[in-house]
C-alpha cells in the first residue's frame, strides 16, 4: 500500500496476519511524521542562527520604501 507523507512516498508491505492501517490511522502517522520533521527543521534553523557569526552586534534595521 502506498503511503504519502508530504513530498515523500513509500510502499508499505503488510504481512499476512497483521491488521493493515485504515486511512485515518495512516493520516495520523503521516501528520506525526510531518510534525517531527517540522520540529527538526526549526531546531536546525535555531542552531544555525545561534552559532552563525554576524557582521554587527546590532540587529539590522528594516528597509523602508
Amino acid at each position: 500500500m502506498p503511503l504519502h507523507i508530504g513530498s515523500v512516498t513509500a510502499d508499505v508491505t503488510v504481512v499476512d496476519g497483521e491488521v493493515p492501517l485504515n486511512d485515518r490511522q495512516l493520516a495520523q502517522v503521516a501528520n506525526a511524521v510531518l510534525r517531527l520533521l517540522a520540529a527538526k527543521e526549526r531546531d536546525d534553523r535555531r542552531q544555525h542562527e545561534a552559532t552563525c557569526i554576524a557582521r554587527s552586534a546590532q540587529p539590522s534595521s528594516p528597509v523602508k520604501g
Side-chain angles (χ1 to χ4, degrees):
M1 102 178 54
L3 176 62
H4 304 282
I5 301 173
S7 62
V8 177
T9 301
D11 286 321
V12 178
T13 303
V14 178
V15 179
D16 288 339
E18 292 185 4
V19 178
L21 299 174
N22 62 37
D23 289 341
R24 186 177 139 271
Q25 291 168 320
L26 287 174
Q28 288 175 330
V29 169
N31 287 334
V33 170
L34 289 173
R35 282 192 306 271
L36 289 171
L37 290 173
K40 183 181 181 325
E41 185 177 317
R42 281 192 309 272
D43 289 344
D44 290 346
R45 188 172 38 248
R46 286 181 192 144
Q47 178 68 26
H48 174 74
E49 290 171 358
T51 59
C52 72
I53 298 173
R55 292 182 182 217
S56 172
Q58 296 179 349
S60 60
S61 59
V63 177
K64 296 182 181 181

